[in-house]
Amino acid sequence: MKLQTKITLLFFVISAVGLLLMNAAIFYFVSDFNFEDFFKRLEARVRFAAQIKIHPDGRTAAYREAKVKNLEMLDGERDFVARINADGSFKRPLNLPDEFYNTILNGNRARYDRENHFYAGSLFITPYGKYVVIAEAIDPYGYKELNELRKILIIIFIVSVILAYIAGRVFSYYALNPLRNLIKSVKNISANNLHMRVDEANGGDEIAELVSTFNHMLNRLETAFETQNNFVSNASHELRTPLSIISGETELLLARKGLDAEAIKNVNTILHEAEKLENILASLLGLAQSGFDGKKQNWQLIRADELVITAVESVKKIATECTIDIDFSELPENGDQLQTEGNMNLLHLAVSNIVMNACKYSSNQPVTVKIVSQKGAIKISVIDRGIGIPKQEQKYVFEPFFRASNTGKFEGYGIGLPLTLNIIKLHQGSINIISEEQEGTEIQVMLPVAE
């Protein structure tokens, strides 16, 4: 999930929760006010009912007249008066909860509502005895107002939530716009143009700090790449020259007559080690170069079948006793599905390294190279029947200078596969190994089909 979407959703959730709480509070306080107002009006009728029905004096008519003038008639309005006997018993005029009557008997105001029926009651102590007075009424207008308020709040909530989502999208877009510009600038920087820098952002916010950090990192990377590039460019001449001199002088020394057997043996050892060192140096230089050189000016469209054929022919010239079969049985009908983009020399080196290893570690037993193109990828499989790779060591075979424990009788430097992996990665591909000790190895190279 993108950061912009996360910010939008977070803004939306916070806004929705805030609006929900606000609407709930509005509805609660309005309904509480309505109920409180209605109960007060009902309690006024309780007092008038007590004055009218309990006191048998000349003021009854005056109270009745005052009630008619000052209090409007409520829907379903009724009042009840019950005398409390000496033993505390009385006839309950309405079927209401015990808690309601107990509250009255304790001398407190009692309130109760049920399905839009409201009840209020009080205890009155007079010279004529104790009385329970209860008033009942219906509040249809109050409930209607609350229902209308509920509908309005729901509509306001839905509209506000939609607006909050839109506002969140707009807010997240403009908030992350500097970050998008930064990502766009960084994507344009590669090994070919490390001299480029990200435009400095205005202000002293986190984006400006991030831009500054990127530029400092690019300064360090440019210095490191230039150092490595200089080494790769110069090491070949600086290191190969003395090695060539050593090899040449050693060969001249061997050509002299009169050397005893011990001297000849020592000179041959020097020559062999010099050649070995020169091979290691060439492999190391190739490994270093393939690891950083991402320039594409020499890249071209390459057909995988032609690549395999040329690589196999090169290996056959070196490993003349090895039989290499190329399996074209699953080639696609569309030749474009066999085309990949890359550097021909580097890919040739990578494939030939794998085929050469297959021949070497299988003691020149038959090797099969198979090409398949499917789902936008080209798979080149090299299958041998050699010594295999111990299962616990397979994860280390792409580390420089690592050699499996069962390869002691075979010459090698542990650089070929790391070099191959670097080349394949450079071409946006991957390598997979399937191997069983003493049964053989299959190395699969995956390369993308050129668009």
Side-chain angles (χ1 to χ4, degrees):
M1 185 183 294
K2 290 187 176 182
L3 185 58
Q4 180 179 348
T5 305
K6 289 182 179 180
I7 293 176
T8 302
L9 291 178
L10 181 61
F11 187 87
F12 172 77
V13 170
I14 293 174
S15 301
V17 172
L19 289 168
L20 184 63
L21 293 176
M22 184 180 69
N23 288 352
I26 291 173
F27 184 79
Y28 171 78
F29 287 116
V30 171
S31 61
D32 184 67
F33 174 80
N34 282 353
F35 290 157
E36 180 68 22
D37 178 67
F38 193 78
F39 272 121
K40 286 182 178 180
R41 293 160 65 188
L42 203 56
E43 287 166 352
R45 283 152 181 80
V46 170
R47 291 191 295 271
F48 272 101
Q51 295 294 337
I52 294 171
K53 295 185 177 183
I54 294 177
H55 298 280
D57 53 28
R59 293 178 294 177
T60 301
Y63 282 117
R64 194 184 304 276
E65 183 180 355
K67 178 184 177 183
V68 172
K69 288 182 178 180
N70 295 291
L71 300 178
E72 77 278 11
M73 191 69 177
L74 299 177
D75 288 351
E77 180 181 334
R78 294 189 299 171
D79 52 61
F80 305 90
V81 177
R83 181 183 176 87
I84 301 175
N85 300 321
D87 59 358
S89 63
F90 66 97
K91 183 180 180 181
R92 298 186 178 186
L94 294 169
N95 184 21
L96 297 174
D98 293 339
E99 183 181 355
F100 179 81
Y101 287 108
N102 291 334
T103 302
I104 295 175
L105 294 176
N106 290 331
N108 299 317
R109 293 181 306 172
R111 293 177 174 179
Y112 181 69
D113 67 276
R114 177 178 56 196
E115 297 178 356
N116 201 22
H117 285 71
F118 294 83
Y119 305 89
S122 294
L123 176 67
F124 289 88
I125 302 175
T126 70
Y128 316 104
K130 295 181 180 180
Y131 294 88
V132 172
V133 181
I134 300 174
E136 175 192 8
I138 302 173
D139 185 19
Y141 301 106
Y143 262 87
K144 184 178 181 181
E145 290 175 359
L146 290 178
N147 287 332
E148 291 297 325
L149 177 63
R150 184 185 293 111
K151 293 178 182 178
I152 292 172
L153 290 177
I154 291 174
I155 294 173
I156 291 175
F157 175 76
I158 294 174
V159 173
S160 299
V161 163
I162 294 173
L163 293 176
Y165 178 79
I166 296 173
R169 292 286 295 181
V170 175
F171 169 77
S172 60
Y173 176 82
Y174 285 102
L176 295 177
N177 199 41
L179 190 58
R180 277 191 293 271
N181 293 334
L182 174 61
I183 293 173
K184 185 178 180 180
S185 298
V186 173
K187 281 184 177 180
N188 293 329
I189 300 175
S190 64
N192 301 328
N193 54 5
L194 277 177
H195 62 279
M196 292 181 61
R197 294 294 179 269
V198 180
D199 295 334
E200 295 289 340
N202 297 325
D205 56 9
E206 288 79 1
I207 297 296
E209 185 177 353
L210 182 61
V211 169
S212 178
T213 303
F214 265 119
N215 286 335
H216 286 306
M217 180 189 67
L218 289 172
N219 289 335
R220 296 192 296 272
L221 284 176
E222 185 179 16
T223 301
F225 270 56
E226 287 181 353
T227 302
Q228 187 175 6
N229 192 15
N230 290 334
F231 170 78
V232 173
S233 300
N234 299 326
S236 177
H237 301 289
E238 299 296 331
L239 297 178
R240 284 182 176 176
T241 299
L243 283 175
S244 299
I245 294 173
I246 292 173
S247 299
E249 294 296 327
T250 306
E251 290 174 353
L252 289 176
L253 185 60
L254 285 174
R256 288 185 181 182
K257 296 181 180 180
L259 292 177
D260 55 35
E262 184 69 21
I264 292 175
K265 180 180 177 181
N266 292 336
V267 173
N268 278 325
T269 300
I270 294 172
L271 180 60
H272 176 73
E273 293 300 323
E275 292 175 348
K276 183 177 178 181
L277 184 59
E278 190 170 0
N279 289 332
I280 293 175
L281 175 62
S283 298
L284 285 175
L285 291 175
L287 181 62
Q289 186 175 16
S290 67
F292 81 90
D293 188 4
K295 299 179 180 179
K296 291 189 177 183
Q297 63 269 24
N298 295 325
W299 283 31
Q300 62 191 75
L301 287 177
I302 301 169
R303 281 186 60 108
D305 50 351
E306 296 176 358
L307 171 66
V308 168
I309 291 173
T310 56
V312 167
E313 289 177 352
S314 298
V315 173
K316 284 181 176 179
K317 293 178 182 178
I318 301 174
T320 55
E321 298 179 1
C322 183
T323 301
I324 306 173
D325 298 321
I326 303 177
D327 185 354
F328 287 151
S329 61
E330 297 188 31
L331 289 183
E333 295 181 1
N334 184 0
D336 292 341
Q337 295 299 310
L338 288 173
Q339 287 188 333
T340 188
E341 187 181 10
N343 184 293
M344 184 64 180
N345 293 331
L346 290 178
L347 286 177
H348 181 274
L349 175 61
V351 175
S352 59
N353 273 345
I354 296 174
V355 177
M356 180 64 74
N357 282 347
C359 290
K360 180 168 66 173
Y361 294 114
S362 65
S363 300
N364 291 325
Q365 294 186 60
V367 173
T368 302
V369 182
K370 186 176 181 180
I371 307 174
V372 179
S373 180
Q374 56 187 6
K375 297 180 179 179
I378 303 168
K379 181 170 72 173
I380 302 174
S381 300
V382 181
I383 307 166
D384 65 57
R385 304 171 189 170
I387 60 175
I389 306 171
K391 189 172 183 179
Q392 65 274 15
E393 298 179 6
Q394 291 179 14
K395 58 184 176 181
Y396 302 113
V397 296
F398 293 111
E399 294 183 2
F401 303 108
F402 175 82
R403 303 195 71 213
S405 57
N406 58 348
T407 59
K409 66 178 183 179
F410 300 95
E411 278 196 12
Y413 313 112
I415 299 176
L417 280 180
L419 173 59
T420 299
L421 178 62
N422 278 4
I423 294 173
I424 299 303
K425 280 186 174 180
L426 184 66
H427 291 77
Q428 308 300 317
S430 61
I431 297 181
N432 183 41
I433 292 181
I434 304 172
S435 183
E436 288 290 337
E437 199 169 0
Q438 301 304 325
E439 291 187 10
T441 300
E442 178 180 352
I443 296 184
Q444 301 173 344
V445 175
M446 305 294 293
L447 293 171
V449 174
E451 294 182 0

